Amino acid sequence: MDALSEAMRAVRITGALFFNGEFSAPWRFVTPAQDEIGPTISPDSERLVLFHLVTEGRATARTAGHDEVDLEAGDIVVFPHGDAHELWNGRTSRLFPGTRLLPKLANGEMAAEKWGGDGPVTRIICGYLGCERHAESLFLRGLPALLKTNVRRSPAGAWIESAIRHCASEAESQRAGRLAVLAKLAETVFVETLCRYMDELPPERTGWLAGARDANVGRALALLHRDPARAWTLPDLARASGTSRTVLAERFAQLMGESLLAYLARWRLQLGARLLLSTNRKVLQVACDVGYESEAAFNRAFRRTFGAPPARYRRERKAGQPTAAEP
């Protein structure tokens, strides 16, 4: 059972590599927050994860309110919540004019640019992962504003970097399928980064990824995400996870910050919200699809979480109106 894979299958994800930069020191560039850049590079995504892979040279990264992070070749720096950030090497007041990338980004193309002075060269490939808001309560939950790992420390990571460099070097070619390959590579590099981050978590860390890494909690999470509509009970999940219900309940609460059944109820409602917006199914059918025995029970729970009953939520969201509350 792989909780991370099951969770990622449950969230609509798109990815792309969008920038291949060659910078000579001194240089500096700023990436706006997801709210500013998202409508251009991924207008259908509710959340944007931004990342940069250093393939040669050195750089420093920083986002507001956090310490600087030094980067070297093979490092990937990820901004899981799409925060505005900057990268640089050397001192300069001149910013890379990122606005000139907009036409290519709007067309879904990969831009290649050179910029900077006459110092040491740093090569960086930038990408993003676009996903639904539900990702914030799953594999993005509890992640810091910035995280770093080095892909060259594992054979799989080294292969991914090699493939990305090869595809980026052919960004200007017109070979069929190249954009699809770049999109899959962007998703792959993000998953690899998450896996390495999970492996490096200290034993005392809590949060979704810590729960997914735990043998018993991870199996329970995978089961819930694989079959959320099943009438799960704590004893059922404990037996399927190979532990006692007391141990599972305590460990789940410790790592996840809520009870197992509370987590399941919240996830069912998020799935219900997605079905309301992505299908024309009646509210009763949606309720049944996510594990509710009656439309009335679904309506009550949905209104408590989203601030509006399902039918009104669907109507207002499709009309572009914000609802009273979002989880």
Side-chain angles (χ1 to χ4, degrees):
M1 288 290 179
D2 179 354
L4 180 58
S5 294
E6 294 294 340
M8 295 195 78
R9 270 195 285 267
V11 176
R12 187 172 62 253
I13 293 173
T14 59
L17 302 174
F18 65 85
F19 181 49
N20 184 13
E22 179 182 313
F23 299 100
S24 301
W27 57 269
R28 178 170 169 253
F29 76 79
V30 173
T31 301
Q34 62 174 351
D35 291 345
E36 295 183 48
I37 196 173
T40 298
I41 66 174
S42 187
D44 295 329
S45 299
E46 295 176 307
R47 295 291 182 269
L48 209 62
V49 176
L50 300 164
F51 64 84
H52 308 284
L53 167 63
V54 179
T55 61
E56 182 181 332
R58 294 183 174 276
T60 302
R62 178 177 60 197
T63 189
H66 296 82
D67 294 337
E68 299 175 1
V69 174
D70 292 327
L71 306 173
E72 61 183 21
D75 280 343
I76 292 179
V77 59
V78 181
F79 299 85
H81 311 294
D83 294 315
H85 56 274
E86 57 183 315
L87 272 72
W88 72 90
N89 188 17
R91 293 189 175 185
T92 179
S93 59
R94 294 179 65 222
L95 275 178
F96 171 71
T99 53
R100 73 188 192 190
L101 305 178
L102 294 179
K104 284 193 173 183
L105 299 186
N107 291 330
E109 300 178 27
M110 187 169 186
E113 295 282 349
K114 294 183 178 181
W115 178 259
D118 55 4
V121 170
T122 301
R123 289 185 169 87
I124 300 177
I125 297 174
C126 308
Y128 72 85
L129 199 77
C131 48
E132 298 171 288
R133 69 177 67 245
H134 307 321
E136 287 284 5
S137 62
L138 299 175
F139 46 85
L140 299 183
R141 185 179 180 186
L143 289 179
L146 178 158
L147 63 92
K148 180 189 83 167
T149 190
N150 191 289
V151 295
R152 295 184 182 178
R153 294 174 187 159
S154 72
W159 176 87
I160 292 169
E161 181 189 359
S162 177
I164 288 174
R165 293 176 69 174
H166 172 72
C167 289
S169 69
E170 295 191 339
E172 299 300 323
S173 76
Q174 297 302 312
R175 190 174 59 173
R178 64 189 177 85
L179 293 180
V181 172
L182 290 172
K184 293 302 180 185
L185 283 173
E187 296 175 31
T188 302
V189 75
F190 176 69
V191 174
E192 174 68 13
T193 302
L194 280 186
C195 290
R196 292 193 62 81
Y197 181 78
M198 287 173 65
D199 291 341
E200 296 165 2
L201 282 175
E204 68 276 8
R205 185 65 61 86
T206 60
W208 198 94
L209 289 177
R213 184 184 62 175
D214 183 86
N216 294 324
V217 173
R219 280 194 289 269
L221 282 171
L223 288 165
L224 293 181
H225 284 280
R226 178 175 294 183
D227 191 5
R230 180 172 169 177
W232 290 109
T233 65
L234 182 56
D236 289 339
L237 285 163
R239 281 193 297 270
S241 301
T243 187
S244 72
R245 55 186 176 180
T246 301
V247 169
L248 179 60
E250 292 178 352
R251 187 67 175 155
F252 195 98
Q254 176 188 0
L255 291 173
M256 305 292 291
E258 62 184 328
S259 74
L260 193 151
L261 296 182
Y263 177 93
L264 174 59
R266 182 166 53 82
W267 177 237
R268 283 173 170 172
L269 290 172
Q270 290 172 347
L271 289 178
R274 179 212 273 175
L275 289 173
L276 289 168
L277 299 179
S278 61
T279 73
N280 291 320
R281 297 174 193 171
K282 295 183 180 297
V283 173
L284 176 58
Q285 182 60 55
V286 171
C288 294
D289 288 345
V290 298
Y292 280 82
E293 295 182 355
S294 73
E295 183 176 349
F298 178 63
N299 283 351
R300 288 193 298 270
F302 195 94
R303 183 166 192 151
R304 283 196 301 270
T305 299
F306 289 88
R312 196 177 94 200
Y313 173 87
R314 168 186 271 168
R315 184 172 61 253
E316 292 178 348
R317 283 295 300 273
K318 287 189 173 183
Q321 301 172 20
T323 52
E326 288 287 359

